[in-house]
Amino acid sequence: MLSKKTKYAFHALTFLGKNRDQKTVLIQDIAAEYGISHKFLENILLELKKAGILGSKKGKGGGYYLIKEPKDVALSKVIRLLDGPIALLPCVSLNYYEPCVECQSEVKCGLNKVMIQVRDEMLNVLENKSLADILDKE
Amino acid sequence: MLSKKTKYAFHALTFLGKNRDQKTVLIQDIAAEYGISHKFLENILLELKKAGILGSKKGKGGGYYLIKEPKDVALSKVIRLLDGPIALLPCVSLNYYEPCVECQSEVKCGLNKVMIQVRDEMLNVLENKSLADILDKE
DNA sequence: ATAAACCCTACTTTTTTTATAGACTTTACA
DNA sequence: TGTAAAGTCTATAAAAAAAGTAGGGTTTAT
């Protein structure tokens, strides 16, 4: 399951996507829309900004806005950013690889082989679905 | 990512699958093979037994054995048993459904719709891969 | 009778997630 | 030019989940 952080990130991105006509949107308005803690959401939006997905404007009249095209915000990108690896095991993660301590030889490990296949099929889905798909269904 | 519990379950199942010629296998031998805590593994094997995947024999000369054909032990079954939902959000889980409190209307939620698609594609993979696939690659 | 092995429940520790606090910086505008 | 509005940043606290441990109970071969 995704963490709440990631789920809220998707909600926020959806809200920002729906309000692209506005120059900026307040954290507060997003928090209110979904009943999320303002402060918690603040951290999430900051991470999305640092990742180049959102832009912001400080000071009075400021707020956040979507900097990327919705079709260019893949689900995989948001998940990796806030939740970490998509792979089901550390030993098959492309972005967060770590060997399994209990594993004598990765090359001989059937579980490793199968989980590489699972990872590839999951990535195929998560890299080809994007914020645009979410917005299309709203 | 899968929990260690689930990862160890797959290791144990693999070991038992490779030793189907023996009547029973000791917890201790599986734990030693992977350097896993005996007691922790005990709990895991017990769950696999209760789920009808493993059988056991008590007393001296006892141990665990695979009760199902490897091809009939889908990855999805083991993951659900030890880790819970496969779906990425509670509101799209088939086996562990819960509404999202922040969601006004599930029917109008684009995230919900997209995550249903993601779930179906993940299930398609995880229900069609099994212990047999792991054993084939060892 | 005894030792080997699984069964079961409860508990503790550790890690991760979720949430909060508060001081700081930037900006619009009266 | 002062003030209020808004994002920035770091640290910490609280809650929940995962990982691991303990120990007595039951069954069975010899």
Side-chain angles (χ1 to χ4, degrees), chain B residues 7-23:
Chain B
K7 184 168 64 163
Y8 293 165
F10 280 123
H11 282 316
L13 288 167
T14 302
F15 192 84
L16 286 162
K18 285 165 81 174
N19 292 284
R20 264 176 300 162
D21 51 319
Q22 293 178 38
K23 265 209 283 289

Side-chain angles (χ1 to χ4, degrees), chain A residues 42 46 49 56 58 63-64:
Chain A
E42 200 175 278
L46 211 47
K49 186 200 163 176
S56 70
K58 283 185 180 178
Y64 280 97

Side-chain angles (χ1 to χ4, degrees), chain A residues 51-119:
Chain A
I53 296 169
L54 300 182
S56 70
K57 191 170 178 307
K58 283 185 180 178
K60 197 171 181 180
Y64 280 97
Y65 51 91
L66 201 57
I67 217 171
K68 291 212 180 197
E69 286 298 305
K71 70 172 172 43
D72 295 326
V73 182
L75 302 193
S76 59
K77 181 152 193 167
V78 178
I79 294 174
R80 282 206 181 102
L81 185 65
L82 295 155
D83 253 14
I86 284 165
L88 296 184
L89 294 180
C91 66
V92 301
S93 172
L94 295 173
N95 291 262
Y96 299 85
Y97 172 84
E98 271 182 71
C100 293
V101 286
E102 79 278 10
C103 197
Q104 314 255 330
S105 157
E106 218 163 84
V107 181
K108 293 181 192 161
C109 180
L111 182 58
N112 178 275
K113 301 278 167 307
V114 168
M115 286 303 176
I116 285 175
Q117 293 176 356
V118 171
R119 178 203 67 197

Side-chain angles (χ1 to χ4, degrees), chain B residues 20-137:
Chain B
R20 264 176 300 162
D21 51 319
Q22 293 178 38
K23 265 209 283 289
T24 64
V25 173
L26 297 183
I27 297 179
Q28 199 178 324
D29 291 346
I30 304 173
E33 173 77 9
Y34 299 100
I36 304 171
S37 142
H38 175 115
K39 278 303 211 173
F40 193 37
L41 188 57
E42 199 175 277
N43 294 327
I44 296 166
L45 295 181
L46 212 46
E47 288 198 68
L48 290 169
K49 185 199 164 176
K50 284 178 184 166
I53 296 169
L54 299 183
S56 68
K57 190 167 177 310
K58 282 187 183 176
K60 197 170 182 180
Y64 280 97
Y65 51 92
L66 201 56
I67 217 171
K68 290 210 180 199
E69 286 298 306
K71 71 172 172 44
D72 295 327
V73 182
L75 302 193
S76 59
K77 181 152 194 167
V78 178
I79 294 174
R80 282 206 181 102
L81 184 65
L82 294 156
D83 255 13
I86 285 166
L88 296 184
L89 293 179
C91 65
V92 301
S93 172
L94 295 173
N95 291 262
Y96 299 85
Y97 172 83
E98 270 183 71
C100 293
V101 286
E102 78 279 10
C103 196
Q104 316 255 329
S105 157
E106 217 164 85
V107 181
K108 294 181 192 160
C109 180
L111 183 58
N112 177 275
K113 301 277 167 308
V114 169
M115 286 302 176
I116 285 173
Q117 294 176 357
V118 172
R119 177 202 68 199
D120 286 342
E121 304 210 46
M122 284 177 65
L123 278 182
N124 187 42
V125 177
L126 296 175
E127 291 191 331
N128 287 300
K129 288 201 186 294
S130 69
L131 179 56
D133 295 296
I134 299 174
L135 291 171
D136 284 350
K137 301 261 161 47

